[in-house]
Amino acid sequence: MKKSLVILFALFGLFLVSCNRDEVNAVDEDLTEMVELSAARSAAVTDTVTKQKCKGKLTEVAAADLPAAITTYITTNYAGSEIQFAGKDTEGKIVVGLKLADGTSKGLLFNADGTFNKALEKYGKGAKLTKVETAALPAAITTYITANYAGYEIKKAGKNEAGEFYVAVKLDTAVKVLKFAADGAFIEATTPPAHPEGKGKRSKHGK
């Protein structure tokens, strides 16, 4: 009987460890996504094409609310891609940021009627991130965070091809994504955007 109880408690312990590991992995994935989506939004908003052709601030749009012409275009031309950002200007033009099947990024501009207008010129360099360990961040970044976000912990960080850093910091349940220039100079702090496909409902277009 005693042996059975020992085995039972051991199995229960393994179950708890497994559950805790799953929870940690889920939180880890969520934070990684927050950093990636923040980079995608920033890349789409600041792209040279967006600035030249769009009027006013972009308002984020859920993937389900995109015109059928746009989703059909994406499915046809970028099979296996994932929408990471979608935003509409005051005239109805829509900017869409994609993560392609090969892991690269592509930004597209559409007219108000959903017809394709032009590819964003620098989106790929701004949206695609390479993971950066906390210890490898420039001293200027960690010093800034220590001074301005006391109590926050650096959870995730990434660097785009343009050299900019995106850093997720967390205090209790509050998460901010901080953007820094290549030299470590602070640019802006943002609240991570929601995934346009919906949490846990991301789809691969064209599959």
Side-chain angles (χ1 to χ4, degrees):
M1 180 69 178
K2 186 181 292 185
K3 185 175 181 182
S4 296
L5 285 174
V6 170
I7 294 173
L8 180 62
F9 281 119
L11 291 173
F12 182 67
L14 287 173
F15 173 75
L16 288 178
V17 169
S18 177
C19 286
N20 289 336
R21 185 182 297 115
D22 289 342
E23 289 174 3
V24 169
N25 288 341
V27 171
D28 191 67
E29 288 175 3
D30 284 347
L31 288 167
T32 298
E33 181 179 278
M34 287 178 183
V35 175
E36 290 179 346
L37 295 181
S38 295
R41 176 172 60 186
S42 179
V45 170
T46 61
D47 191 86
T48 50
V49 170
T50 304
K51 288 185 173 182
Q52 290 166 7
K53 291 183 173 281
C54 293
K55 302 295 182 183
K57 182 179 179 181
L58 292 182
T59 301
E60 291 181 27
V61 177
D65 296 329
L66 290 172
I70 291 179
T71 53
T72 298
Y73 181 91
I74 292 171
T75 299
T76 302
N77 295 280
Y78 298 99
S81 65
E82 172 192 331
I83 296 176
Q84 288 196 299
F85 173 84
K88 180 186 293 187
D89 76 355
T90 57
E91 294 183 340
K93 288 192 287 292
I94 296 174
V95 174
V96 178
L98 301 175
K99 183 176 183 180
L100 305 185
D102 63 1
T104 60
S105 298
K106 186 81 174 180
L108 308 172
L109 175 66
F110 294 87
N111 299 313
D113 63 0
T115 56
F116 175 71
N117 184 308
K118 188 175 182 180
L120 303 189
E121 293 173 352
K122 298 183 178 181
Y123 180 83
K125 289 187 175 181
K128 183 171 170 36
L129 297 180
T130 300
K131 181 180 177 180
V132 177
E133 299 295 340
T134 300
L137 289 170
I141 291 178
T142 53
T143 298
Y144 180 90
I145 293 172
T146 300
N148 295 278
Y149 289 87
Y152 279 78
E153 181 183 359
I154 296 174
K155 303 298 291 185
K156 289 289 174 180
K159 183 179 182 181
N160 63 22
E161 290 183 26
E164 297 165 328
F165 292 88
Y166 289 83
V167 184
V169 295
K170 186 177 183 182
L171 175 61
D172 297 326
T173 59
V175 178
K176 292 286 185 182
V177 176
L178 312 178
K179 182 180 178 181
F180 296 87
D183 62 0
F186 174 73
I187 296 176
E188 63 177 352
T190 62
T191 300
H195 199 294
E197 300 277 9
K199 187 174 178 62
K201 298 179 182 178
R202 286 172 287 173
S203 62
K204 299 294 184 180
H205 294 267
K207 282 191 174 182

